[in-house]
């Protein structure tokens, strides 16, 4: 099952990529307690940590929401044919993401709203596709909701210069600007009400404009947290940041705040990059958090994905 229903909203997992991201835990999550990885290896492996190499495994996936008669995408992955010299694992991909989306029942022209939780390389990729030599919007009838603080942060007009070897080189130019220049973006600040079930709020730390989508429908709750956490170790060790967090103190504070809200409101926590069953319910555990249960999404199985969702 790659689809669940929460109140009046269906949530479908659409895969782009699953596998190693070329970093061991001490590099990806500097400062995370080594024992958190060794003591939990029995369940972290293989979905969140590769059993052989001890490299962190990540999913790149889009959460497709059907709400109020609209098709809504949360995050658009890495995209195809993008020039990413500082991230070879994601450079010049050629995946069947749009096929996976079609098998989930949605064609590009049927997407109404695209949400970029933040404007990192692996959250905006399918905003555009390569048409000849031009990057053009993939979803021609969509409104793209982008956090204004991230838009301003990476806009070269404001003087942003990526650090060599990491950062967001090319990303604004090939995946953000073409959408904005086509008049299809909404740059929102603070909060944005999508419909009666869904709301966007800023949750800064990972990036200045990082945001979460809160789903509240009937008695069901979920929060789509983007890169507020990449790995379930950050639930049980909520002060463990990724090496990509722009504001480490802010990232920790936001993670604790959102996980606390989710625990207190019985809300499913749905990050952008969890492998395994994709999302978790959490509870408070002293001044940390525990995993109460996993969502029922399918494990990654590329050969079966197409058939199971047809
Ligand atoms: Zn990410």
């Amino acid at each position: 099952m790659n689809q669940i229903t929460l109140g009046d909203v269906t949530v479908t997992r659409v895969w782009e990529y699953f596998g190693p991201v070329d970093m061991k835990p001490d590099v990806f999550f500097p400062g995370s307690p080594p024992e958190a990885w060794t003591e939990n290896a029995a369940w972290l492996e293989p979905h969140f940590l590769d059993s052989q190499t001890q490299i962190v495994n990540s999913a790149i996936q889009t959460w497709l929401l059907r709400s109020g008669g609209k098709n809504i995408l949360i995050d658009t992955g890495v995209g195809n044919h993008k020039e990413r010299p500082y991230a070879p694992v994601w450079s010049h991909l050629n995946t069947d993401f749009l096929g996976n989306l079609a098998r989930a029942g949605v064609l590009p022209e049927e997407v109404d709203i695209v949400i970029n939780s933040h404007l990192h390389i692996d959250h905006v990729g399918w905003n555009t596709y390569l048409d000849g030599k031009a990057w053009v919007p993939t979803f021609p009838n969509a409104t793209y909701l982008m956090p204004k603080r991230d838009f301003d942060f990476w806009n070269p007009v404001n003087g942003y210069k990526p650090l060599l070897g990491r950062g967001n080189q090319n990303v604004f130019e090939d995946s953000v600007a073409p959408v904005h220049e086509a008049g299809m973006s909404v740059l929102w600040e603070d909060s944005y009400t999508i419909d009666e079930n869904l709301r966007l709020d800023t949750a800064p730390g990972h990036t200045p404009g990082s945001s979460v989508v809160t789903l509240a429908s009937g008695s069901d709750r979920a929060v789509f947290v983007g890169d507020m956490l990449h790995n379930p170790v950050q639930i049980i060790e909520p002060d463990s940041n990724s090496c990509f967090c722009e504001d480490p103190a802010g990232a920790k504070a936001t993670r604790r705040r959102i996980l606390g809200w989710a625990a207190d409101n019985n809300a499913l926590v749905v990050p952008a990059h969890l492998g395994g069953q994709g999302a978790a319910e959490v509870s408070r555990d002293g001044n940390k958090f525990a995993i109460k249960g996993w969502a029922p999404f399918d494990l990654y199985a590329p050969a079966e994905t197409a058939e199971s969702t047809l």
Side-chain angles (χ1 to χ4, degrees):
M1 175 171 58
N2 254 346
Q3 181 168 300
I4 62 174
T5 301
L6 297 171
D8 296 328
V9 184
T10 63
V11 180
T12 308
R13 182 186 215 176
V14 182
W15 291 98
E16 184 185 32
Y17 168 90
F18 174 75
V21 288
D22 291 346
M23 283 183 284
K24 292 193 172 180
D26 62 332
V27 176
F28 201 148
F29 305 98
S32 64
E35 60 272 19
W37 300 91
T38 52
E39 290 173 3
N40 295 292
W43 61 268
L44 288 172
E45 298 173 3
H47 305 300
F48 310 110
L49 188 65
D50 186 85
S51 310
Q52 302 299 319
T53 63
Q54 294 294 295
I55 287 173
V56 175
N57 276 332
S58 276
I60 311 289
Q61 58 209 344
T62 288
W63 295 105
L64 161 64
L65 309 186
R66 291 177 173 92
S67 175
K70 291 192 167 18
N71 295 314
I72 300 165
L73 306 182
I74 302 181
D75 288 328
T76 62
V78 173
N80 277 0
H81 312 305
K82 307 265 167 159
E83 181 72 32
R84 302 288 184 252
Y86 46 90
V89 70
W90 292 336
S91 197
H92 293 280
L93 287 189
N94 188 18
T95 73
D96 192 27
F97 171 78
L98 291 182
N100 290 342
L101 185 62
R103 285 183 281 275
V106 176
L107 299 173
E109 57 268 30
E110 295 171 331
V111 173
D112 299 293
I113 296 172
V114 173
I115 297 167
N116 297 129
S117 69
H118 61 297
L119 301 186
H120 265 160
I121 168 175
D122 52 328
H123 296 259
V124 299
W126 276 106
N127 281 6
T128 58
Y129 73 100
L130 193 57
D131 182 8
K133 291 185 175 177
W135 294 104
V136 299
T138 306
F139 309 106
N141 299 313
T143 297
Y144 289 66
L145 303 178
M146 299 177 175
K148 184 172 186 300
R149 283 176 206 155
D150 269 15
F151 186 93
D152 290 343
F153 185 71
W154 277 295
N155 190 343
V157 168
N158 296 330
Y160 178 76
K161 289 192 175 55
L163 300 170
L164 196 63
R166 64 165 284 194
N168 244 10
Q169 294 104 319
N170 303 342
V171 173
F172 190 93
E173 290 80 359
D174 64 32
S175 300
V176 175
V179 171
H180 187 64
E181 288 163 6
M184 299 168 71
S185 64
V186 170
L187 304 180
W188 63 276
E189 295 182 83
D190 299 326
S191 68
Y192 185 94
T193 300
I194 297 166
D195 63 16
E196 66 274 24
N197 303 312
L198 302 169
R199 195 186 72 228
L200 267 164
D201 289 291
T202 50
H206 180 66
T207 66
S210 279
S211 59
V212 297
V213 179
T214 303
L215 182 161
S217 184
S219 59
D220 288 338
R221 301 286 180 274
V223 59
F224 297 81
V225 300
D227 283 2
M228 189 196 81
L229 61 89
H230 292 73
N231 190 284
V233 160
Q234 293 171 285
I235 296 173
I236 58 178
E237 293 291 346
D239 290 333
S240 295
N241 285 332
S242 79
C243 62
F244 302 110
C245 291
E246 297 281 349
D247 171 10
K252 289 180 191 178
T254 289
R255 190 176 307 109
R256 283 186 169 278
R257 178 172 63 82
I258 302 291
L259 287 174
W261 179 87
D264 295 342
N265 289 277
N266 215 21
L268 188 66
V269 176
V270 193
H273 297 309
L274 280 204
Q277 290 170 267
E281 290 186 337
V282 302
S283 57
R284 291 186 183 272
D285 182 14
N287 71 341
K288 298 183 181 180
F289 297 93
I291 294 160
K292 198 162 67 177
W294 297 105
F297 292 107
D298 290 340
L299 302 177
Y300 184 64
E304 296 168 11
T305 300
E307 292 173 17
S308 68
T309 52
L310 273 174

